[in-house]
Amino acid sequence: MAAAKIAPSMLSSDFSNLATEAQRMLDCGADWLHMDIMCSHFVPNLTIGAPVIESLRKHTKAYLDCHLMVTNPLDYVEPFGKAGASGFTFHIEAARENWNELIQKIKAKGMKPGVSLKPGTPIEEVYPLVEGENHVDLVLVMTVEPGFGGQKFMPEMMDKVRKLRQKYPSLDIEVDGGLGPSTIDAAASAGANCIVAGSSVFGAPEPAQVISLMRNRVEGVKAAW
Ligand code: DX5
Ligand code: ZN
């Protein structure tokens, strides 16, 4: 059964002290570090690229869960592989024509492939990517419109998570956007095991408490999935 993984979103960290912030999150019990890679053609924002991943990699052995909100993910496979990314999650909306090639290349570079979908994209679109020999290891269900931290969780996205969990009992299912102590139960009971959280973790007086609360809620309900 899929284990709980709590992934603080470094988008909410102090980017000028990234290595220190990463270590602080690991000390607080984070399983993964979620890295939001955005280009302004795919979302109305611009964040970090492979050079930042490469710099951070020199300071940590942590699993770097890279979420690529970009229009041309194929162009980034090689640089992110070299930079030391662990997971490479692309958006289906940007890869409808070439997801098969993309998955192969991500694996060839030693990264774990994942696919994400925006709130308006039906869950059925990712089924072919989860099935078959050349499949993704993770599906990231966006629970806000991608682009910014600090937005409100969309509970209606839990239907997608429930459908996925029913079909794929051991798949890593990640949720991203508006997750925190007040929304974790909805996500966990629907079947999400990988939890991305930016503002609720970085904004908390005790991030370790928020991380352990979320892990406990996932572990507590997963027998009922
Ligand atoms: C949004 C990003 C998220 C974001 C989540 O496009 O993918 O990872 O940082 O932030 P919160 O948890 O504040 O909604
Ligand atoms: Zn993200």
Side-chain angles (χ1 to χ4, degrees):
M1 205 180 277
K5 278 154 204 135
I6 310 301
S9 169
M10 300 309 290
L11 185 60
S12 289
S13 73
D14 173 2
F15 268 146
S16 67
N17 288 303
L18 190 54
T20 313
E21 290 282 76
Q23 190 54 50
R24 181 165 75 96
M25 287 301 124
L26 297 168
D27 293 343
C28 285
D31 300 283
W32 290 354
L33 300 174
H34 185 80
M35 309 301 297
D36 287 301
I37 317 304
M38 302 183 188
C39 88
S40 56
H41 299 281
F42 191 75
V43 290
N45 200 0
L46 181 66
T47 56
I48 58 169
V52 176
I53 301 298
E54 192 182 343
S55 295
L56 180 59
R57 178 50 83 212
K58 292 182 182 136
H59 296 272
T60 184
K61 292 185 163 57
Y63 188 95
L64 300 178
D65 174 38
C66 297
H67 174 197
L68 284 95
M69 290 157 273
V70 301
T71 47
N72 48 346
L74 200 52
D75 292 351
Y76 295 98
V77 174
E78 167 110 38
F80 273 75
K82 265 198 195 142
S86 313
F88 186 108
T89 298
F90 59 88
H91 267 265
I92 186 62
E93 300 85 0
R96 287 187 175 117
E97 312 301 319
N98 62 0
W99 57 263
N100 206 36
E101 181 189 3
L102 198 44
I103 294 172
Q104 271 172 14
K105 291 201 166 148
I106 294 167
K107 286 202 228 167
K109 292 287 164 196
M111 299 178 287
K112 285 199 174 279
V115 66
S116 182
L117 67 166
K118 290 182 180 185
T121 303
I123 193 63
E124 290 75 17
E125 267 207 47
V126 304
Y127 293 166
L129 285 72
V130 181
E131 290 159 13
E133 232 169 80
N134 185 37
H135 60 82
V136 292
D137 292 331
L138 172 147
V139 175
L140 195 187
V141 176
M142 286 305 298
T143 47
V144 297
E145 285 298 339
F148 300 92
Q151 303 182 75
K152 202 170 161 285
F153 176 77
M154 299 167 74
E156 61 275 27
M157 294 301 124
M158 294 308 98
D159 282 346
K160 295 183 183 178
V161 174
R162 259 187 296 274
K163 281 184 180 168
L164 267 184
R165 182 54 75 206
Q166 266 173 15
K167 258 174 103 66
Y168 311 108
S170 59
L171 178 69
D172 273 335
I173 303 177
E174 189 169 52
V175 283
D176 183 6
L179 272 302
S182 61
T183 51
I184 185 63
D185 287 335
S189 61
N193 67 301
C194 303
I195 312 295
V196 176
S199 32
S200 70
V201 169
F202 283 92
E206 300 277 358
Q209 281 179 7
V210 177
I211 291 172
S212 79
L213 178 151
M214 292 197 288
R215 178 179 297 98
N216 291 340
R217 298 294 169 86
V218 173
E219 292 296 341
V221 297
K222 73 183 202 185
W225 286 343

